[in-house]
Amino acid sequence: MPSVTVGDMRQQFLSTRLNTSLKNDLNTLVQELTTGQAADLTAHLRGSQSSLTGLDRQLELLGRFSQANSETGQMLSVMQTALAGIDSLRESAATHLLTINDSSTASQLSDAATAAKSSFESTVSNLNLRSSGRAMFGGNDLDASPLADADVMLDALRAEISGLTTATDIENAIDTWFDSPGGGFETVGYLGDSNGTQSRTTGANESVDISVRADDSAFRDTLKALAKSALSAEPAFGLGVEVQRDIQKQSAVDLLSNASDLVSVQARLGFVQEQVEEATVRTIAQEASYGIARNELVSVDQFETASELQSIQLQLETHYTLTARLSRLSLTEYLR
């Protein structure tokens, strides 16, 4: 029978192909041993990837919920900081106004009015704060600042009380501007969404409603009391010292009584924060559960992988040894 031989080029090709194949297998096994996951998921799952696809989809969805909850939590935290700032401004102004008595001088009344105006402006600024570029106290209107500038509102109030000379008339005019449906505050002062509340998704079929808006009565009453004091001492109105005192003393009483209303707003917001935190904990737990399930699907047997790696190493070493020996075979070497 004639013998069949493989030419040198053919032999080199087969050797190179085997060497490449063994190296690829070795690299794959090293990767799997390092990561603990199969390199070829299609082969590992025997072509059925529906379970893995479902888990990946759930993990992606949970990741979105987690991001949304993080953003909502951050916004609520900024809102609470703003509320704390407003309450501090209210308390500071009230403390200043409580020093006003029947013997207070025009200079003292002016100083108290200046402090109240500063608190009014800062309160407006707090309610116009933004989180990630979005308005927080304007309901569903996330673009426009919920309140007009402090000067715009004070100018509108100046027009309302112009010509009035008694404390009662001035206080009633300012009350009407702030409280009347469709009145000055709702048409000039508040620029946000008057009907809706912010609804933020926290999970599958879950959401929270943030109902705290800048037109809340607690904020109106605070701004109202500060505005009364701020405008009472303006020279343009020419109010007598007694009238100024009466307005400022009443403003102090109003600011003190507003404390409980602001606390109630903070509590409402705190309840929403608690809901978001609970949703965050649930999302983290679900992510962990789905992550474990996914790892079980794609993971490889570490012991089996290590054994295969040793086997491939041995094959590769054997291949190198044989290749080296074959490369030294020649008629000249044989005749020696």
Side-chain angles (χ1 to χ4, degrees):
M1 174 181 292
S3 61
V4 179
T5 61
V6 179
D8 289 343
M9 292 295 293
R10 174 71 170 173
Q11 183 178 343
Q12 183 180 359
F13 172 75
L14 292 175
S15 178
T16 301
R17 187 172 68 174
L18 178 59
N19 182 57
T20 302
S21 176
L22 289 172
K23 281 187 174 180
N24 288 340
D25 290 344
L26 185 68
N27 290 334
T28 298
L29 290 169
V30 168
Q31 177 186 339
E32 291 182 341
L33 194 61
T34 303
T35 63
Q37 296 184 356
D40 187 349
L41 292 178
T42 302
H44 181 71
L45 298 173
R46 297 178 176 84
S48 178
Q49 292 186 278
S50 57
S51 296
L52 180 61
T53 302
L55 288 172
D56 284 340
R57 186 162 50 246
Q58 287 296 327
L59 286 168
E60 181 183 359
L61 188 61
L62 289 170
R64 292 177 184 173
F65 291 149
S66 181
Q67 177 66 25
N69 288 336
S70 176
E71 292 175 358
T72 302
Q74 179 183 8
M75 185 186 75
L76 291 170
S77 178
V78 175
M79 291 178 76
Q80 284 286 23
T81 300
L83 292 181
I86 292 169
D87 190 51
S88 178
L89 291 165
R90 175 206 59 78
E91 184 178 8
S92 176
T95 300
H96 202 136
L97 289 170
L98 283 172
T99 63
I100 300 300
N101 53 49
D102 292 340
S103 61
S104 295
T105 65
S107 177
Q108 290 172 323
L109 293 170
S110 178
D111 289 343
T114 299
K117 182 181 179 183
S118 177
S119 292
F120 183 91
E121 293 168 343
S122 296
T123 298
V124 171
S125 295
N126 272 278
L127 291 171
N128 281 339
L129 283 175
R130 292 174 174 268
S131 176
S132 300
R134 295 177 294 188
M136 298 181 294
F137 293 98
N140 283 319
D141 189 346
L142 305 178
D143 297 323
S145 295
L147 291 180
D149 290 342
D151 287 340
V152 171
M153 287 191 278
L154 290 175
D155 282 343
L157 287 167
R158 289 185 181 99
E160 289 293 318
I161 66 175
S162 179
L164 302 179
T165 57
T166 68
T168 300
D169 288 345
I170 291 171
E171 289 169 356
N172 288 339
I174 293 176
D175 287 343
T176 299
W177 190 87
F178 273 99
D179 297 336
S180 295
F185 180 77
E186 293 187 359
T187 56
V188 177
Y190 183 68
L191 308 176
D193 174 23
S194 300
N195 300 313
T197 59
Q198 286 193 56
S199 182
R200 306 295 290 263
T201 299
T202 56
N205 302 317
E206 294 179 3
S207 62
V208 294
D209 292 326
I210 305 172
S211 60
V212 178
R213 299 196 312 250
D215 63 343
D216 191 287
S217 60
F219 302 135
R220 292 198 202 201
D221 290 343
T222 300
L223 290 170
K224 190 194 316 179
L226 292 171
K228 289 175 183 177
S229 175
L231 296 174
S232 64
E234 290 197 354
F237 299 123
L239 299 176
V241 172
E242 260 188 53
V243 174
Q244 293 181 43
R245 288 173 186 158
D246 289 343
I247 292 174
Q248 295 202 12
K249 285 192 286 186
Q250 185 58 49
S251 295
V253 173
D254 292 343
L255 287 171
L256 288 175
S257 65
N258 290 347
S260 59
D261 293 335
L262 287 174
V263 169
S264 295
V265 174
Q266 289 174 304
R268 277 162 48 200
L269 204 59
F271 177 71
V272 178
Q273 282 182 296
E274 184 179 351
Q275 288 179 298
V276 173
E277 288 171 3
E278 290 174 352
T280 299
V281 171
R282 285 196 300 272
T283 300
I284 291 173
Q286 289 174 332
E287 282 183 303
S289 178
Y290 282 117
I292 291 171
R294 188 186 190 283
N295 284 337
E296 289 178 351
L297 271 182
V298 303
S299 62
V300 294
D301 187 315
Q302 297 286 79
F303 179 78
E304 182 180 340
T305 303
S307 298
E308 291 181 11
L309 180 60
Q310 287 182 330
S311 176
I312 293 295
Q313 283 178 309
L314 181 59
Q315 290 182 53
L316 193 57
E317 289 170 1
T318 302
H319 172 69
Y320 286 149
T321 301
L322 293 175
T323 299
R325 288 181 180 179
L326 287 172
S327 67
R328 291 196 300 269
L329 289 179
S330 67
L331 179 59
T332 303
E333 289 291 330
Y334 176 75
L335 292 177
R336 284 180 185 177

